[in-house]
Amino acid sequence: METGKLFNGTGMESIWKSYSSGSGFPALDGDTTTDVAIIGGGITGITTALLLKEAGYNVVVAESYSVGGGSTGSSTGNLYIAVEEGFDTIKSKYNADTLNTVLSARRDAMELVAQNVSQFGLDCDFRRQTWYLYAANEENIDKVKGEFKAALQAGAPAEEVLPGELPFPVVTGFRIGGQANFNPLRYVQQLAQAIHDEKCRIYEQTAVIAVDDEDEKIKKVRTHKGTIHARYVVHATHTPKGVFLDFHSLLGTYREYGVAVKLASGSYPEGIMWGYYERNERYSARSYEHNGEKYLMVIGQTHEVGQKEDNNENIAHLEKFLREHFDVEAVTNTWGGQNYKPADGLPYIGRKRKGSDVFVATGFSTDGLTYGTLSAIIIRDLITGNENDYTRLFDATRHNPLKAAGKFIKENAINAAVTFKDYVLFKDAEIADIPTGEGRVVEVDGKKVAVYNEASGNVKACSAVCTHMGCLVHWNSAEKTWDCPCHASRFSTDGDVIEGPAFTPLEKLQVR
Ligand SMILES: Cc1cc2nc3c(=O)[nH]c(=O)nc-3n(C[C@H](O)[C@H](O)[C@H](O)COP(=O)(O)OP(=O)(O)OC[C@H]3O[C@@H](n4cnc5c(N)ncnc54)[C@H](O)[C@@H]3O)c2cc1C
Ligand code: FES
């Protein structure tokens, strides 16, 4: 089956893209009308389409590139009730009851994935696994012990890790059984195939370029290939598209990296293994098997989007980590992925403002396969008029300045700083001085220009001014993209939008 364009990036491909089962949906062809327009075909958009179709609504999904090719296809593919933010953090910011509700919501979402796998017969290597959290050194003992205590208090079936249970040095650790992992790309592609019919239309290579949602009854979701008229609109785009200052100022934006390897021994550890190392650095490791081919992967080395001078070193670090602990035979895949952290520890899922029929689902941190699935449950419940504990707890219009306090101020300070920070500008440099395969922001005739010196010697140039809200983009050397440090829009060297809130490509320019 035709795989289509998975993403408009650079050739660094996740392990999942090597085992994509393809999607091959057509592009939208002319104007159309539906009950619900869903922007984005990741796990959030496709699961929302499934649940609303089951609830009797007509649905149209518009996906810029290919189903699952966004963050879903760059994730680690783990499903668990734990939260990256930490059990203890949620309990301290809120209370034990709230932590309980979060865990129960995440369990429901995880089990919905399991149910879909079995109901639709999805061939996505879904396996039950044990989740582990451990401290690899003395520095993180208190943190992990605090997490263990909070997990037990919230009623999670947590147990202490036994000596030698993990293939890493463990000073202290605990486990929770009954979690799961899978190939997230095959899951979402095959789920899309299973639900696709005349009531649930899915379009690929169909980027939404504007949403006109002023009319209370009929919204217009515009693409270059036609306009979708809909009563309800769902931004299932990982971060809402366009200018949503309420949300964008509440989100910390991060990239992290994955490296997958083959091991000479052929012996691959099982489990979802989260470990804390020096300087609070957390690594997540798991293995993957498809048709007898096995891999081990590690994810980590987080940094703020557009704020790293050389991110090749992040990938090198992950490879070093794997080589230190395992007999690595070959590196098979390296990739990057994006996540959005909420200011108050919980994702924002629901109406964009009270009474609105436009929905958002964002702030998932690195827990969004489960939170994206939960978003589908919540958005279905809101559209069908079923207010409940989950719709209230994750309400996207909530404002929790007290719970956000430290983080809120930090994220905004970063955003303010990078808005006005000019990365080194090569004012007088010859464009020919830019190394082959690299990009630089150059000042040409007073204009900030993002110049990429292609391997072939051709130069591609775009305006360096982000089309979202005007910050300057920054070169991402490992992924060969232009990344905006303000709200994490990312652009290809041709200027096309890859991800983030921007709708419009960078302006293409001619340079001498
Ligand atoms: C390295 C890494 C590892 C992770 N590991 C895990 C994990 O193990 N478990 C877990 O639960 N979570 C994990 N996450 C988080 C998880 O991957 C994401 O939160 C989740 O995939 C988000 O799904 P989504 O459908 O909301 O977004 P996406 O999968 O990004 O889908 C959004 C889609 O919207 C499309 N889109 C964007 N703009 C437009 C437009 N204008 N028009 C049309 N379509 C558009 C995009 O092309 C994309 O396909 C990880 C994240 C990272 C970065
Ligand atoms: S992403 Fe908001 S200004 Fe660039």
Side-chain angles (χ1 to χ4, degrees):
M1 188 180 292
E2 181 60 28
T3 299
K5 203 172 179 186
L6 278 169
F7 75 126
N8 193 356
T10 53
M12 276 177 62
E13 290 211 336
S14 74
I15 178 114
W16 318 122
K17 288 170 185 166
S18 311
Y19 289 104
S20 157
S21 58
S23 38
F25 294 108
L28 180 67
D29 184 16
D31 295 353
T32 189
T33 299
T34 185
D35 297 326
V36 190
I38 298 174
I39 314 170
I43 197 164
T44 307
I46 297 300
T47 319
T48 305
L50 160 71
L51 297 190
L52 286 171
K53 177 188 169 185
E54 285 177 347
Y57 291 82
N58 284 322
V59 179
V60 168
V61 178
E63 162 56 48
S64 294
Y65 297 109
S66 282
V67 163
S71 294
T72 299
S74 305
S75 69
T76 327
N78 290 322
L79 300 161
Y80 44 81
I81 58 167
V83 279
E84 192 209 352
E85 195 78 18
F87 297 106
D88 198 33
T89 312
I90 302 291
K91 198 185 110 208
S92 320
K93 274 185 198 276
Y94 298 85
N95 51 49
D97 284 350
T98 301
L99 175 59
N100 231 295
T101 311
V102 171
L103 299 190
S104 127
R106 289 183 55 78
R107 192 173 296 108
D108 287 356
M110 185 169 75
E111 293 313 320
L112 176 60
V113 173
Q115 182 193 309
N116 290 339
V117 170
S118 102
Q119 180 180 337
F120 297 105
L122 308 180
D123 174 16
C124 61
D125 306 304
F126 179 91
R127 296 176 71 175
R128 288 291 174 181
Q129 293 284 0
T130 298
W131 171 91
Y132 297 91
L133 184 71
Y134 64 91
N137 54 28
E138 305 287 325
E139 191 183 333
N140 292 298
I141 286 187
D142 289 349
K143 181 184 212 94
V144 172
K145 286 201 161 153
E147 284 296 282
F148 189 17
K149 192 168 157 207
L152 287 172
Q153 284 169 347
E159 297 166 313
E160 200 163 349
V161 164
L162 302 172
E165 194 174 336
L166 289 171
F168 302 102
V170 172
V171 183
T172 186
F174 67 101
R175 73 172 105 80
I176 299 177
Q179 313 299 292
N181 59 24
F182 64 165
N183 176 328
L185 184 55
R186 287 176 76 87
Y187 169 80
V188 80
Q189 286 175 331
Q190 291 180 26
L191 185 59
Q193 287 291 345
I195 64 173
H196 176 239
D197 62 14
E198 70 286 353
K199 287 184 167 299
C200 178
R201 287 174 288 149
I202 300 173
Y203 297 105
E204 294 183 322
Q205 312 303 326
T206 301
V208 171
I209 49 171
V211 179
D212 174 358
D213 59 11
E214 293 307 307
D215 186 327
E216 289 200 355
K217 290 269 176 286
I218 297 297
K219 280 99 190 141
K220 297 186 190 75
V221 176
R222 298 183 195 280
T223 80
H224 284 303
K225 300 177 176 161
T227 296
I228 307 162
H229 300 256
R231 164 78 196 272
Y232 304 98
V233 175
V234 180
H235 287 252
T237 42
H238 210 191
T239 187
K241 298 298 285 192
V243 177
F244 278 78
L245 277 184
D246 282 0
F247 296 110
H248 292 136
S249 61
L250 291 171
L251 295 171
T253 58
Y254 297 88
R255 279 199 86 66
E256 63 181 313
Y257 301 91
V259 172
V261 295
K262 299 287 267 179
L263 300 181
S265 67
S267 166
Y268 291 78
E270 289 288 318
I272 301 167
M273 297 164 277
W274 289 8
Y276 280 105
Y277 288 77
E278 294 80 31
R279 300 181 305 282
N280 274 331
E281 184 74 52
R282 204 192 71 193
Y283 291 100
S284 162
R286 67 163 283 197
S287 54
Y288 174 60
E289 180 173 355
H290 183 78
N291 287 346
E293 283 294 324
K294 292 185 182 175
Y295 302 85
L296 178 69
M297 70 191 83
V298 67
I299 312 287
Q301 286 286 311
T302 307
H303 66 81
E304 280 122 350
V305 177
Q307 297 195 50
K308 185 82 208 250
E309 285 305 328
D310 180 8
N311 54 346
N312 285 300
E313 65 189 29
N314 296 60
I315 293 166
H317 237 94
L318 291 174
E319 186 181 332
K320 182 166 166 267
F321 172 86
L322 282 169
R323 289 189 186 279
E324 273 167 12
H325 294 93
F326 301 94
D327 52 345
V328 172
E329 189 176 68
V331 175
T332 58
N333 301 73
T334 58
W335 70 96
Q338 194 136 306
N339 71 73
Y340 300 86
K341 292 197 197 313
D344 61 7
L346 297 178
Y348 306 100
I349 307 169
R351 299 181 192 281
K352 81 166 190 179
R353 59 167 184 271
K354 296 214 183 301
S356 171
D357 286 333
V358 176
F359 298 85
V360 298
T362 190
F364 298 159
S365 294
T366 52
D367 307 322
L369 298 175
T370 304
Y371 273 140
T373 306
L374 176 65
S375 302
I377 298 173
I378 289 177
I379 292 168
R380 186 266 323 268
D381 286 351
L382 288 170
I383 289 181
T384 57
N386 173 25
E387 299 266 337
N388 53 49
D389 282 355
Y390 298 167
T391 59
R392 283 185 285 273
L393 178 59
F394 297 100
D395 179 7
T397 63
R398 71 181 187 271
H399 287 286
N400 270 330
L402 282 178
K403 294 180 177 64
K407 190 142 185 191
F408 178 79
I409 290 159
K410 177 175 162 277
E411 303 300 0
N412 279 297
I414 291 169
N415 283 349
V418 292
T419 306
F420 300 110
K421 174 179 170 186
D422 276 1
Y423 287 100
V424 185
L425 283 176
F426 290 81
K427 286 196 184 197
D428 302 319
E430 293 290 326
I431 286 173
D433 291 343
I434 300 171
T436 302
E438 291 297 329
R440 297 281 184 272
V441 174
V442 177
E443 197 164 82
V444 182
D445 300 335
K447 260 194 159 180
K448 311 281 192 297
V449 186
V451 181
Y452 173 56
N453 185 6
E454 224 179 352
S456 61
N458 289 338
V459 163
K460 291 178 174 177
C462 303
S463 164
V465 179
C466 175
T467 56
H468 180 232
M469 291 176 69
C471 295
L472 281 191
V473 296
H474 181 52
W475 178 241
N476 172 338
S477 54
E479 298 176 273
K480 312 280 179 233
T481 56
W482 296 107
D483 298 358
C484 180
C486 286
H487 316 105
S489 289
R490 298 182 58 240
F491 304 87
S492 72
T493 50
D494 287 319
D496 293 335
V497 180
I498 299 172
E499 62 185 316
F503 273 123
T504 317
L506 297 176
E507 182 196 356
K508 280 203 172 72
L509 299 171
Q510 294 292 330
V511 290
R512 287 181 303 277

